[in-house]
Amino acid sequence: MSVFVITCSVPAALELSSGGYDILLLGGIVRNKSLALLGRETLTILERYRADKAFLGSSGFTAKRGHSTPNPDDAQIKEAIMRAADETYVLVDSSKYGHDCLTVLRAFATSI
């Protein structure tokens, strides 16, 4: 089985490249702290692709509001990734529970 990875994370691209995976690193503006690529350029490139599975992180999670991130641009990219994927998995550890950040990640339901 071949794996083609689409990411907006510079550290993830570097780590996965050492494993021999084919990687598409999305363009955009680099966030200083996380080295994530964000912005209109990232969205424009991402809109051209689809994925079987998406794996995302979130900065916070509450039972009432769901997953969230402090950066609205980050939320926009994650929502676009969710729209492009057939299945989405949000990966968080217990330290994220109870944190409610500025921007909620909206879930996208697909109907047939």
Side-chain angles (χ1 to χ4, degrees):
M1 171 173 75
S2 67
V3 175
F4 183 79
V5 177
I6 302 170
T7 185
C8 59
S9 168
V10 174
L14 290 171
E15 183 68 29
L16 291 167
S17 68
S18 66
Y21 296 103
D22 292 325
I23 300 164
L24 171 63
L25 181 59
L26 302 171
I29 298 168
V30 179
R31 284 187 65 198
N32 291 334
K33 184 177 178 184
S34 67
L35 297 178
L37 298 158
L38 303 174
R40 183 70 228 158
E41 294 81 9
T42 313
L43 286 172
T44 300
I45 295 167
L46 184 56
E47 289 168 355
R48 297 180 53 203
Y49 294 92
R50 62 157 299 281
D52 295 325
K53 294 178 174 65
F55 298 91
L56 308 171
S58 76
S59 299
F61 176 80
T62 64
K64 182 176 180 179
R65 290 180 31 116
H67 293 279
S68 61
T69 180
N71 186 306
D73 291 330
D74 183 41
Q76 209 174 24
I77 298 299
K78 288 179 180 184
E79 289 168 351
I81 290 169
M82 287 189 278
R83 285 192 301 271
D86 294 336
E87 299 175 28
T88 299
Y89 301 89
V90 182
L91 310 171
V92 295
D93 62 40
S94 62
S95 70
K96 309 297 186 200
Y97 187 74
H99 292 275
D100 195 7
C101 300
L102 176 65
T103 310
V104 173
L105 300 179
R106 297 175 294 212
F108 290 91
T110 308
S111 59
I112 297 176

